PDB file of all heavy atoms in Angstrom:
ATOM      1  N   TYR A 258      -3.314  -9.259  47.757  1.00  0.00           N
ATOM      2  CA  TYR A 258      -2.018  -8.625  48.015  1.00  0.00           C
ATOM      3  C   TYR A 258      -1.985  -7.242  47.394  1.00  0.00           C
ATOM      4  O   TYR A 258      -2.548  -7.017  46.330  1.00  0.00           O
ATOM      5  CB  TYR A 258      -0.893  -9.491  47.435  1.00  0.00           C
ATOM      6  CG  TYR A 258      -0.994 -10.914  47.904  1.00  0.00           C
ATOM      7  CD1 TYR A 258      -1.651 -11.876  47.131  1.00  0.00           C
ATOM      8  CD2 TYR A 258      -0.477 -11.306  49.134  1.00  0.00           C
ATOM      9  CE1 TYR A 258      -1.783 -13.184  47.569  1.00  0.00           C
ATOM     10  CE2 TYR A 258      -0.601 -12.608  49.576  1.00  0.00           C
ATOM     11  CZ  TYR A 258      -1.255 -13.541  48.792  1.00  0.00           C
ATOM     12  OH  TYR A 258      -1.389 -14.830  49.232  1.00  0.00           O
ATOM     13  N   TYR A 318       4.113  -8.911  54.636  1.00  0.00           N
ATOM     14  CA  TYR A 318       4.029  -8.151  53.396  1.00  0.00           C
ATOM     15  C   TYR A 318       4.100  -6.666  53.723  1.00  0.00           C
ATOM     16  O   TYR A 318       3.594  -6.227  54.761  1.00  0.00           O
ATOM     17  CB  TYR A 318       2.714  -8.461  52.666  1.00  0.00           C
ATOM     18  CG  TYR A 318       2.670  -9.885  52.178  1.00  0.00           C
ATOM     19  CD1 TYR A 318       1.944 -10.859  52.866  1.00  0.00           C
ATOM     20  CD2 TYR A 318       3.381 -10.265  51.051  1.00  0.00           C
ATOM     21  CE1 TYR A 318       1.921 -12.175  52.431  1.00  0.00           C
ATOM     22  CE2 TYR A 318       3.368 -11.585  50.610  1.00  0.00           C
ATOM     23  CZ  TYR A 318       2.641 -12.527  51.296  1.00  0.00           C
ATOM     24  OH  TYR A 318       2.635 -13.817  50.862  1.00  0.00           O
ATOM     25  N   ARG A 343       8.277 -10.495  46.924  1.00  0.00           N
ATOM     26  CA  ARG A 343       7.842 -11.883  46.787  1.00  0.00           C
ATOM     27  C   ARG A 343       6.832 -11.954  45.636  1.00  0.00           C
ATOM     28  O   ARG A 343       5.956 -11.096  45.528  1.00  0.00           O
ATOM     29  CB  ARG A 343       7.165 -12.314  48.082  1.00  0.00           C
ATOM     30  CG  ARG A 343       6.547 -13.689  48.011  1.00  0.00           C
ATOM     31  CD  ARG A 343       5.821 -14.015  49.293  1.00  0.00           C
ATOM     32  NE  ARG A 343       6.497 -15.118  49.954  1.00  0.00           N
ATOM     33  CZ  ARG A 343       5.925 -15.910  50.841  1.00  0.00           C
ATOM     34  NH1 ARG A 343       4.690 -15.696  51.221  1.00  0.00           N
ATOM     35  NH2 ARG A 343       6.571 -16.896  51.389  1.00  0.00           N
ATOM     36  N   TYR A 344       7.004 -12.954  44.788  1.00  0.00           N
ATOM     37  CA  TYR A 344       6.055 -13.137  43.690  1.00  0.00           C
ATOM     38  C   TYR A 344       5.029 -14.168  44.152  1.00  0.00           C
ATOM     39  O   TYR A 344       5.359 -15.338  44.328  1.00  0.00           O
ATOM     40  CB  TYR A 344       6.811 -13.612  42.444  1.00  0.00           C
ATOM     41  CG  TYR A 344       5.972 -13.677  41.177  1.00  0.00           C
ATOM     42  CD1 TYR A 344       4.868 -12.845  40.970  1.00  0.00           C
ATOM     43  CD2 TYR A 344       6.305 -14.555  40.152  1.00  0.00           C
ATOM     44  CE1 TYR A 344       4.129 -12.904  39.798  1.00  0.00           C
ATOM     45  CE2 TYR A 344       5.571 -14.619  38.971  1.00  0.00           C
ATOM     46  CZ  TYR A 344       4.480 -13.789  38.807  1.00  0.00           C
ATOM     47  OH  TYR A 344       3.740 -13.842  37.643  1.00  0.00           O
ATOM     48  N   VAL A 345       3.806 -13.693  44.382  1.00  0.00           N
ATOM     49  CA  VAL A 345       2.748 -14.594  44.827  1.00  0.00           C
ATOM     50  C   VAL A 345       1.896 -14.941  43.604  1.00  0.00           C
ATOM     51  O   VAL A 345       1.237 -14.072  43.030  1.00  0.00           O
ATOM     52  CB  VAL A 345       1.871 -13.939  45.917  1.00  0.00           C
ATOM     53  CG1 VAL A 345       0.991 -14.997  46.555  1.00  0.00           C
ATOM     54  CG2 VAL A 345       2.711 -13.256  46.960  1.00  0.00           C
ATOM     55  N   VAL A 346       1.949 -16.191  43.206  1.00  0.00           N
ATOM     56  CA  VAL A 346       1.329 -16.597  41.943  1.00  0.00           C
ATOM     57  C   VAL A 346      -0.072 -17.136  42.215  1.00  0.00           C
ATOM     58  O   VAL A 346      -0.270 -17.924  43.145  1.00  0.00           O
ATOM     59  CB  VAL A 346       2.191 -17.686  41.258  1.00  0.00           C
ATOM     60  CG1 VAL A 346       1.632 -18.040  39.894  1.00  0.00           C
ATOM     61  CG2 VAL A 346       3.633 -17.194  41.129  1.00  0.00           C
ATOM     62  N   PHE A 347      -1.045 -16.674  41.430  1.00  0.00           N
ATOM     63  CA  PHE A 347      -2.407 -17.177  41.658  1.00  0.00           C
ATOM     64  C   PHE A 347      -3.036 -17.840  40.441  1.00  0.00           C
ATOM     65  O   PHE A 347      -4.175 -18.298  40.523  1.00  0.00           O
ATOM     66  CB  PHE A 347      -3.336 -16.100  42.237  1.00  0.00           C
ATOM     67  CG  PHE A 347      -3.295 -14.767  41.519  1.00  0.00           C
ATOM     68  CD1 PHE A 347      -3.883 -14.607  40.292  1.00  0.00           C
ATOM     69  CD2 PHE A 347      -2.666 -13.686  42.119  1.00  0.00           C
ATOM     70  CE1 PHE A 347      -3.848 -13.383  39.645  1.00  0.00           C
ATOM     71  CE2 PHE A 347      -2.627 -12.450  41.482  1.00  0.00           C
ATOM     72  CZ  PHE A 347      -3.215 -12.303  40.240  1.00  0.00           C
ATOM     73  N   LEU A 373       5.166 -25.478  41.042  1.00  0.00           N
ATOM     74  CA  LEU A 373       5.842 -24.385  41.756  1.00  0.00           C
ATOM     75  C   LEU A 373       6.479 -24.885  43.054  1.00  0.00           C
ATOM     76  O   LEU A 373       5.802 -25.483  43.891  1.00  0.00           O
ATOM     77  CB  LEU A 373       4.836 -23.263  42.037  1.00  0.00           C
ATOM     78  CG  LEU A 373       5.380 -21.959  42.628  1.00  0.00           C
ATOM     79  CD1 LEU A 373       4.577 -20.758  42.123  1.00  0.00           C
ATOM     80  CD2 LEU A 373       5.396 -21.977  44.139  1.00  0.00           C
ATOM     81  N   THR A 374       7.764 -24.661  43.175  1.00  0.00           N
ATOM     82  CA  THR A 374       8.449 -24.999  44.425  1.00  0.00           C
ATOM     83  C   THR A 374       8.530 -23.716  45.254  1.00  0.00           C
ATOM     84  O   THR A 374       9.233 -22.778  44.871  1.00  0.00           O
ATOM     85  CB  THR A 374       9.880 -25.505  44.138  1.00  0.00           C
ATOM     86  OG1 THR A 374       9.790 -26.517  43.147  1.00  0.00           O
ATOM     87  CG2 THR A 374      10.545 -26.040  45.389  1.00  0.00           C
ATOM     88  N   PRO A 375       7.804 -23.680  46.381  1.00  0.00           N
ATOM     89  CA  PRO A 375       7.777 -22.420  47.131  1.00  0.00           C
ATOM     90  C   PRO A 375       9.127 -22.082  47.763  1.00  0.00           C
ATOM     91  O   PRO A 375       9.894 -22.965  48.105  1.00  0.00           O
ATOM     92  CB  PRO A 375       6.737 -22.673  48.227  1.00  0.00           C
ATOM     93  CG  PRO A 375       6.130 -23.987  47.933  1.00  0.00           C
ATOM     94  CD  PRO A 375       7.005 -24.724  46.995  1.00  0.00           C
ATOM     95  N   SER A 376       9.373 -20.781  47.864  1.00  0.00           N
ATOM     96  CA  SER A 376      10.568 -20.298  48.576  1.00  0.00           C
ATOM     97  C   SER A 376      10.121 -19.057  49.337  1.00  0.00           C
ATOM     98  O   SER A 376       8.948 -18.693  49.296  1.00  0.00           O
ATOM     99  CB  SER A 376      11.662 -19.928  47.573  1.00  0.00           C
ATOM    100  OG  SER A 376      11.296 -18.735  46.900  1.00  0.00           O
ATOM    101  N   ASP A 377      11.066 -18.379  49.993  1.00  0.00           N
ATOM    102  CA  ASP A 377      10.695 -17.133  50.685  1.00  0.00           C
ATOM    103  C   ASP A 377      10.095 -16.118  49.717  1.00  0.00           C
ATOM    104  O   ASP A 377       9.251 -15.316  50.089  1.00  0.00           O
ATOM    105  CB  ASP A 377      11.937 -16.507  51.322  1.00  0.00           C
ATOM    106  CG  ASP A 377      12.173 -17.058  52.716  1.00  0.00           C
ATOM    107  OD1 ASP A 377      11.290 -17.796  53.201  1.00  0.00           O
ATOM    108  OD2 ASP A 377      13.233 -16.770  53.291  1.00  0.00           O
ATOM    109  N   PHE A 378      10.575 -16.151  48.470  1.00  0.00           N
ATOM    110  CA  PHE A 378      10.180 -15.098  47.540  1.00  0.00           C
ATOM    111  C   PHE A 378       9.326 -15.577  46.370  1.00  0.00           C
ATOM    112  O   PHE A 378       9.120 -14.841  45.416  1.00  0.00           O
ATOM    113  CB  PHE A 378      11.428 -14.353  47.053  1.00  0.00           C
ATOM    114  CG  PHE A 378      12.140 -13.689  48.194  1.00  0.00           C
ATOM    115  CD1 PHE A 378      13.339 -14.192  48.672  1.00  0.00           C
ATOM    116  CD2 PHE A 378      11.575 -12.597  48.831  1.00  0.00           C
ATOM    117  CE1 PHE A 378      13.976 -13.595  49.746  1.00  0.00           C
ATOM    118  CE2 PHE A 378      12.193 -11.999  49.915  1.00  0.00           C
ATOM    119  CZ  PHE A 378      13.393 -12.493  50.383  1.00  0.00           C
ATOM    120  N   LEU A 379       8.843 -16.800  46.450  1.00  0.00           N
ATOM    121  CA  LEU A 379       7.938 -17.327  45.423  1.00  0.00           C
ATOM    122  C   LEU A 379       6.943 -18.248  46.110  1.00  0.00           C
ATOM    123  O   LEU A 379       7.338 -19.151  46.851  1.00  0.00           O
ATOM    124  CB  LEU A 379       8.728 -18.120  44.368  1.00  0.00           C
ATOM    125  CG  LEU A 379       7.903 -18.707  43.229  1.00  0.00           C
ATOM    126  CD1 LEU A 379       7.454 -17.605  42.258  1.00  0.00           C
ATOM    127  CD2 LEU A 379       8.708 -19.749  42.443  1.00  0.00           C
ATOM    128  N   SER A 380       5.663 -17.991  45.894  1.00  0.00           N
ATOM    129  CA  SER A 380       4.679 -18.874  46.522  1.00  0.00           C
ATOM    130  C   SER A 380       3.376 -18.851  45.728  1.00  0.00           C
ATOM    131  O   SER A 380       3.167 -17.969  44.888  1.00  0.00           O
ATOM    132  CB  SER A 380       4.405 -18.433  47.966  1.00  0.00           C
ATOM    133  OG  SER A 380       3.756 -17.182  47.947  1.00  0.00           O
ATOM    134  N   VAL A 381       2.513 -19.829  46.027  1.00  0.00           N
ATOM    135  CA  VAL A 381       1.163 -19.808  45.476  1.00  0.00           C
ATOM    136  C   VAL A 381       0.326 -18.992  46.465  1.00  0.00           C
ATOM    137  O   VAL A 381       0.555 -19.054  47.678  1.00  0.00           O
ATOM    138  CB  VAL A 381       0.605 -21.249  45.348  1.00  0.00           C
ATOM    139  CG1 VAL A 381      -0.856 -21.233  44.893  1.00  0.00           C
ATOM    140  CG2 VAL A 381       1.443 -22.053  44.369  1.00  0.00           C
ATOM    141  N   SER A 382      -0.627 -18.218  45.974  1.00  0.00           N
ATOM    142  CA  SER A 382      -1.429 -17.357  46.852  1.00  0.00           C
ATOM    143  C   SER A 382      -2.134 -18.177  47.942  1.00  0.00           C
ATOM    144  O   SER A 382      -2.569 -19.305  47.692  1.00  0.00           O
ATOM    145  CB  SER A 382      -2.472 -16.615  46.022  1.00  0.00           C
ATOM    146  OG  SER A 382      -3.234 -17.541  45.294  1.00  0.00           O
ATOM    147  N   GLY A 383      -2.256 -17.573  49.113  1.00  0.00           N
ATOM    148  CA  GLY A 383      -2.985 -18.212  50.202  1.00  0.00           C
ATOM    149  C   GLY A 383      -4.466 -18.250  49.869  1.00  0.00           C
ATOM    150  O   GLY A 383      -4.988 -17.300  49.269  1.00  0.00           O
TER     151      GLY A 383
END
Side-chain angles (χ1 to χ4, degrees):
Y258 308 95
Y318 293 102
R343 174 184 246 202
Y344 187 28
V345 192
V346 185
F347 48 74
L373 187 147
T374 309
S376 72
D377 272 352
F378 298 107
L379 181 73
S380 67
V381 175
S382 55

